[in-house]
Amino acid sequence: MNTEGEHATAPAAPAGPAPRTAKRAMVGRLSWGLADQAASSISNFAVGIYVARSLGVTAFGVFSLAWVTYGVVLNVSRGLATDPLVVRFSGVPEASWRGAVGRASGTALGVGVALGAVCLTAGLGLGGRVGPAFAALGVMLPGLLLQDAWRFSFFAAGAGRKAFVNDLVWGIALVPAMVVAARVGSVAAFVLAWGASATVAAGYGLLQSGIRPRTTEARGWLREQRDLGYRYLVENVSLSGASQLRAYGLGAIVGVGAVGAVRGAELLLGPFLAVLMGLSLVTVPEAARVLRQAPHRLASFCLLLGGGQAVGALLWGGALLLVPGRFGELVLGGVWHSASQLIVPITLGVAGAGLGTGAAAGLRALGAARRSLRCQLFASAGYVGGGLGGAVAAGTVGSAWGVAAATISGSALWWLHLRSALRERHRDPIPEVRTT
């Protein structure tokens, strides 16, 4: 009996540290994701605050329109290039990763050139206050999208430190660029400064990775990843497009100043949104690793992820309600008064979004692109409908409450679909993650 006991327990001894080692590695990757997003968000927060204080609420609204347009283009690039990359090439052999990164980054750069030309042409045609900002954005899009592609590529390889350093380079380059933009004193100058500093970081990404973006292979990448890429494209564009439609509609219904007020309230949530977005950089790669290594833990991983973000958003929003008005005016200037009225609904909306991201990461890891597309289309339609319907009923505050209600409803749908996808996987396991 003693001999049998020794044989039964001997293999278990070295297995003890392995889960702890895996957890430490996961915590390390998540920590670099947070650090990277902190660097990125501090830069974005500084730009937003500086523009809001320097140019006033109306000009800040124009800047915000260019910002949300960039968000649409960014999500086109991610859907076609980097989302399939992180789903299928996270934690794979280096040779496979390098080949995929060359094609994916080339795709991102090609998207930047093509859609940048569209923005430039539209901006030159529009004129007025908005036109120069969009023209400047068009010039800067290739560098902006390539820099973002490097970030996702590094996280797919588990090298979050490189992504952090790259965003740090962007932040450092942003300082002198902002000084020059402040002397010019226009929205277009700030857009150019922001994009030029990102282009510097994109160039540094070439040195970090030692990989040249292969734009000539973009068509091949799109063809190889079409089962995921085009669905992720529609999903991502519906998300950012909904934000853009809501911004344009809010500006038409209430006024451009209302767009600035919403953006100002989002800036108040900036530090927490930095955490949320930082986690989003690594949640899909981590969920994919959990699925391969311990698939039975995927649901609990997603629940912990989403629930933690929701609780964090509520705590941060509660803290904002205690901020003295004088301090708020010091940070946002004239934007504070209108932005402070939106703290409660925007906090609830962010909490709902945070809860939903846990389920979204699980669906992405499972490769359930059809389900995630349905969820995102529903959420986007609710976002636009709630935001614009609320604006018609009760102005800027009504729009914020409409968005909050739509976001919470969308989060519930994400979790219902994740539960169904997990049940389907138990009946019909998904194929292994592609590594070639």
Side-chain angles (χ1 to χ4, degrees), residues 284-318:
V284 176
E286 289 305 321
R289 289 185 177 95
V290 171
L291 182 63
R292 287 198 298 270
Q293 298 169 6
H296 61 285
R297 295 180 179 172
L298 181 62
S300 58
F301 171 81
C302 295
L303 183 60
L304 180 63
L305 174 68
Q309 290 179 90
V311 171
L314 294 174
L315 292 174
W316 185 264

Side-chain angles (χ1 to χ4, degrees), residues 176-242:
M178 285 288 105
V179 172
V180 174
R183 292 181 178 177
V184 176
S186 68
V187 176
F190 282 106
V191 174
L192 286 171
W194 168 57
S197 54
T199 302
V200 171
Y204 183 65
L206 289 169
L207 299 176
Q208 287 179 293
S209 65
I211 300 173
R212 181 176 58 86
R214 297 199 288 271
T215 54
T216 56
E217 297 186 25
R219 183 175 297 179
W221 174 263
L222 295 175
R223 185 170 55 251
E224 292 171 12
Q225 310 301 327
R226 63 182 179 274
D227 59 326
L228 294 183
Y230 292 116
R231 289 192 176 97
Y232 288 160
L233 169 65
V234 176
E235 182 180 329
N236 290 356
V237 170
S238 70
L239 171 64
S240 54

Side-chain angles (χ1 to χ4, degrees), residues 4 22 58-59 61 78 98 107 171 181 190 198 232 260 271 292 356 366 374 411:
E4 292 175 358
T58 301
R78 288 178 177 177
R98 292 182 67 86
T107 302
F190 282 106
Y232 288 160
R292 287 198 298 270
L366 289 165
R374 291 191 203 113
S411 178

Side-chain angles (χ1 to χ4, degrees), residues 5 7 41 64 85 114 121 174 210 242 268 297 322 330-331 419 429:
H7 283 297
S41 294
S64 298
L85 176 73
T121 302
L174 190 60
L268 292 174
R297 295 180 179 172
L322 303 177
L330 180 64
V331 174
R419 185 178 66 175

Side-chain angles (χ1 to χ4, degrees), residues 10 51 99 271 276 347 387:
V51 174
L276 193 154
T347 296

